[in-house]
Structures are given as structure tokens and as C-alpha cells.
Amino acid sequence: IGSATALATLEAERLRAAAGEARVVMITGDLGMGKTHLWRTWAEPRVPTGIIISTHAIETSEPMPFATLLNLFRHPGPAQALLRAPVPLSPIWLAELARLLPELALQWPNLPPLRMISPAEERARLLQALTEVFRLLATPLLVLIIDDLHWVDPSTLDWLIYLVDQLKNAPLLLIGA
């Protein structure tokens, strides 16, 4: 009830993103007010207009780095499909992702060996590898929805900031609820 303005805002931001300008939309409000229902109502008829990926953060006592993203790669969907043969992602980025998803090394046994690097460089390369996966999905439009964003771990939050910066001129709409 009364969500017409919010739905119109989401649609306006989708159009801006589809024109090649990364956009970020936050859906905020009290627990149980219908944030999830709002984005689902908006997203359902738009599936043919691009790739819509949704995931959710999990409340844990100890935040697991990138747990929200691991969910996308370990369940059927566009992110997981990109890591299957034939893969359009460069082998070096697949190797970097194998740090986060060790099962990739089983699927791709001939990945380039990873050299020992500093933790800061390792983190930077992982952020870039994740970004390269989502860059491939951002055609003609990628809508990435993260529900329960307030529970996201600091590593994922850093990556989201990095993603929007790196894809600022790409058809990307990031929705956080």
C-alpha cells in the first residue's frame, strides 16, 4: 500500500543504469515494513530486461568474509553459470577466485599457480576478480539486489564500494534493502 512512489523511483534508477550509469538504491525502513516485498514486486516483471541477481546477508556472531557473494556462486544462477565451461573469465581471475571458492580448482585443474603476495595485494586482486565476474554480467543490464544489507560483512561492503567505482559507467543497478 502506498508503494507507487518507491516503485517509480526504482524504475527511474533502472532506466538510468540501463543507459550506462551505475546507480545505487537503498530501501530502508523498520523491520517487517515490506522492503523485500517492494523490490520483489518491482523486479518480477523486469527479468527479461537484464540480469537480476538477488542474495541476502546473514546475521552471524562472527562475520564471514564475502558470505553474501559465496551464496551467489554456490547456487544455480547467472554468477555460478559464468564459472562453468566454457568460461568467458580470464584464467588469472578464475585462479584468484579459487582463493575464495576452492572448488574452482577442482573444476579447472589447469589454473595458473598463484604466487605468494602480501595480504593487501591478495585482497586487491580478489576484489578485482569479483568485479570482473560482475562486469561480464553487466550487459545489457545487471541488477544486483542484497537483502538484509545491514548484516553484510565488512569485506563485502568494501567490495560493493569498489564494484560501483569500477563499473561507474556500466549498466549496473545495486539495490540494498
Side-chain angles (χ1 to χ4, degrees):
I1 298 174
S3 61
T5 301
L7 291 169
T9 299
L10 284 169
E11 185 57 17
E13 292 302 315
R14 182 192 69 82
L15 292 172
R16 288 180 73 182
E21 179 185 356
R23 305 298 297 162
V24 177
V25 174
M26 298 299 295
I27 302 171
T28 62
D30 294 330
L31 180 68
M33 71 164 290
K35 297 176 296 291
T36 301
H37 179 72
L38 176 71
W39 68 255
R40 284 186 178 160
T41 299
W42 172 81
E44 188 175 317
R46 282 158 190 80
V47 171
T49 65
I51 295 174
I52 298 178
I53 300 175
S54 65
T55 187
H56 65 281
I58 301 169
E59 178 184 7
T60 59
S61 59
E62 289 287 324
M64 283 181 29
F66 302 108
T68 304
L69 298 175
L70 290 174
N71 187 37
L72 290 174
F73 291 111
R74 290 190 169 138
H75 291 91
Q80 186 187 63
L82 269 182
L83 303 180
R84 300 208 183 279
V87 67
L89 193 63
S90 167
I92 190 65
W93 297 128
L94 276 171
E96 292 297 331
L97 283 177
R99 294 180 196 267
L100 187 60
L101 298 158
E103 59 269 28
L104 288 179
L106 298 173
Q107 185 177 347
W108 300 96
N110 296 324
L111 289 176
L114 294 174
R115 57 188 170 90
M116 297 302 289
I117 54 178
S118 71
E121 188 177 356
E122 182 178 317
R123 178 178 163 81
R125 290 176 65 103
L126 181 56
L127 293 180
Q128 188 62 44
L130 288 165
T131 299
E132 293 305 318
V133 170
F134 285 86
R135 184 186 312 274
L136 290 172
L137 293 171
T139 302
L141 171 67
L142 172 61
V143 179
L144 175 58
I145 303 167
I146 302 180
D147 210 358
D148 294 323
L149 186 63
H150 56 286
W151 295 121
V152 81
D153 63 277
S155 296
T156 301
L157 185 58
D158 287 346
W159 174 74
L160 289 169
I161 294 166
Y162 184 80
L163 174 74
V164 172
D165 178 68
Q166 293 297 300
L167 300 185
K168 62 182 163 246
N169 297 316
L172 168 68
L173 176 58
L174 172 62
I175 300 173

